[in-house]
Amino acid sequence: MSFEAIKKQEQEYILHSYGRVDVALSHGKNAEAWDVEGKHYYDFTSGIGVNALGYSDEGWVKAVTEQAGKIQHMSNYYYCDKNTQLAELLAKNSGLCRSFFCNSGAEANECAIKIARKYGEKKHAYKVITLENSFHGRTLTTLAATGQDGFHQLFTPLTEGFVYAKGNDVEDLKAKLADPEVCAVLLESVQGEGGVVPMEEDYLKAVRELCTEHDVLMMLDEVQTGIGRTGYFFSYQRAGILPDVVTAAKGLGGGLPIGVCIAGEKVKDVFAPGMNGSTFGANPVVCAGAVEVVSRVSKPEFLKEVQEKGEYFKEQLLKMPNVEFVRGRSMMIGVKVKDKDAHDVLNACAKAGLLILTAKDLVRFLPPLTITKEEIDAGLAIFAEQIK
Ligand SMILES: *Cc1c(COP(=O)(O)O)cnc(C)c1O
């Protein structure tokens, strides 16, 4: 099928909720991809941080296809070895206790908010503090949690009970925590969609202390930052803290839809049977892929490489005269290009054979964690040419 035919079909039969780039991918290998007409691309997006091990990774394909040939789905009425194995791996790599599996980042955050409500019930506390400029998902409740007015105005009325604090501002958080109806703080350690804005380590430590002091939950949305993206298995490990609840999704399944909400010691018993559920949650095929991802990404050598490649990206980018600044953590990279609109850069790069993302007025890279130095160099050469 030609690109034009696909585009026509999309226009006709798919609801117009996405602004798309003129690219239709067909297949790929690690950080390289080919479109339906055979054109070659380097891919610095990994499907918005999803294909953690790149395209068609051998180990991942084997894990997923073997599981698909054994049993593809069973209901959550039954026990499932892939599901329990993944939960144990996540507990060991997070320092938290028990997982609830679902299918997306938004759903994982919904679960975190439900946990917060249950935790606060006894003292009639139901409000969740999130940060200005945050992004937590597209369901009505996670849109309410998202601290950006633009998103709120689209679908009122939204779920009640969210209060927005300024990121990296301890005093503002203190003031908002004075409200006795607050039961939790939910935040990203690096605001991805908000423009790759990192929270300082000292701020994260202060959030941890203040949450403990006020007996409210510290909940981290690691949907984008988690599973090795920032050079740590979870980004809070960089700050040396332990939240009460963590959510993850994007990179976890290596390309298959899975979300998880992991509960720490304080809240590992808040749910009783019937309080949350998901038909597809912890699907065996998806979990088999996730077990492969987590087993590999959690290795210290792998994480060290992610850090080193992140540094390399930064060094190379800062050599380009038209780069104003670079920010982020390891393989979650935001680039401010001088005098150029980020979307124009994205479109020009796509034409020239490099796939990138934007976040607010920044260009954003979320490459597969397995990207090679050769792939980085080749992709950055295209980027340098396009921002000249
Ligand atoms: C992408 C993202 C979400 C939403 O995830 P979906 O899988 O699209 O529902 C939530 N939080 C953060 C930080 C994200 O980056």
Side-chain angles (χ1 to χ4, degrees), residues 301-312:
E301 318 84 80
F302 188 101
L303 292 168
K304 189 160 162 275
E305 262 185 44
V306 172
Q307 292 176 12
E308 286 166 359
K309 286 187 281 194
E311 277 309 304
Y312 182 72

Side-chain angles (χ1 to χ4, degrees), residues 113-128 180-184 215-217 267 269-272 275:
I113 295 160
K114 281 186 174 177
I115 287 176
R117 292 253 176 126
K118 274 285 148 221
Y119 182 72
E121 216 171 28
K122 59 182 186 296
K123 50 177 191 178
H124 307 289
Y126 68 98
K127 292 180 188 165
V128 175
E181 290 188 321
V182 168
C183 61
D215 189 26
V216 308
L217 301 176
V267 281
D269 291 313
V270 293
F271 281 164
M275 281 190 190

Side-chain angles (χ1 to χ4, degrees), residues 82-330:
K82 281 292 174 294
N83 169 338
T84 51
Q85 209 182 325
L86 177 59
E88 182 176 354
L89 276 172
L90 287 171
K92 296 212 159 119
N93 285 294
S94 66
L96 301 178
C97 306
R98 293 179 183 156
S99 286
F100 174 82
F101 292 111
C102 49
N103 317 285
S104 70
E107 255 185 291
N109 287 333
E110 289 268 350
C111 176
I113 295 160
K114 281 186 174 177
I115 287 176
R117 292 253 176 126
K118 274 285 148 221
Y119 182 72
E121 216 171 28
K122 59 182 186 296
K123 50 177 191 178
H124 307 289
Y126 68 98
K127 292 180 188 165
V128 175
I129 299 175
T130 63
L131 297 186
E132 290 175 8
N133 194 47
S134 56
F135 181 79
H136 298 295
R138 298 283 191 162
T139 61
L140 288 176
T141 296
T142 55
L143 271 180
T146 292
Q148 303 188 45
D149 289 340
F151 284 106
H152 292 170
Q153 284 145 15
L154 291 174
F155 297 100
T156 52
L158 297 171
T159 308
E160 279 177 57
F162 292 94
V163 178
Y164 313 101
K166 286 190 177 64
N168 284 324
D169 186 335
V170 178
E171 291 310 313
D172 190 47
L173 183 66
K174 266 188 197 160
K176 293 198 161 122
L177 279 168
D179 182 346
E181 290 188 321
V182 168
C183 61
V185 177
L186 170 68
L187 75 165
E188 298 155 273
S189 64
V190 183
Q191 295 181 327
E193 304 306 308
V196 198
V197 184
M199 294 302 121
E200 308 297 339
E201 265 180 51
D202 284 347
Y203 177 73
L204 293 171
K205 285 181 187 157
V207 175
R208 175 64 281 179
E209 280 172 24
L210 286 168
C211 285
T212 306
E213 205 177 288
H214 287 82
D215 189 26
V216 308
L217 301 176
M218 178 181 187
M219 312 202 294
L220 275 180
D221 177 347
E222 295 247 18
V223 169
Q224 193 160 147
T225 52
I227 324 299
R229 177 61 52 191
T230 69
Y232 293 80
F233 189 75
F234 280 118
S235 71
Y236 58 81
Q237 288 157 343
R238 181 175 186 273
I241 56 164
L242 190 63
D244 300 303
V245 175
V246 169
T247 58
K250 289 190 165 84
L252 177 57
L256 289 173
I258 181 170
V260 68
C261 178
I262 319 173
E265 194 58 43
K266 241 187 218 174
V267 281
K268 68 178 188 192
D269 291 313
V270 293
F271 281 164
M275 281 190 190
N276 210 7
S278 162
T279 299
F280 289 113
N283 170 283
V285 175
V286 178
C287 284
V291 164
E292 176 73 13
V293 171
V294 173
S295 316
R296 281 174 44 197
V297 170
S298 61
K299 290 206 169 79
E301 318 84 80
F302 188 101
L303 292 168
K304 189 160 162 275
E305 262 185 44
V306 172
Q307 292 176 12
E308 286 166 359
K309 286 187 281 194
E311 277 309 304
Y312 182 72
F313 255 108
K314 195 170 171 183
E315 275 166 28
Q316 299 307 107
L317 284 162
L318 289 173
K319 282 184 196 160
M320 299 177 195
N322 286 336
V323 166
E324 196 173 314
F325 62 79
V326 180
R327 71 182 174 210
R329 299 274 185 255
S330 294

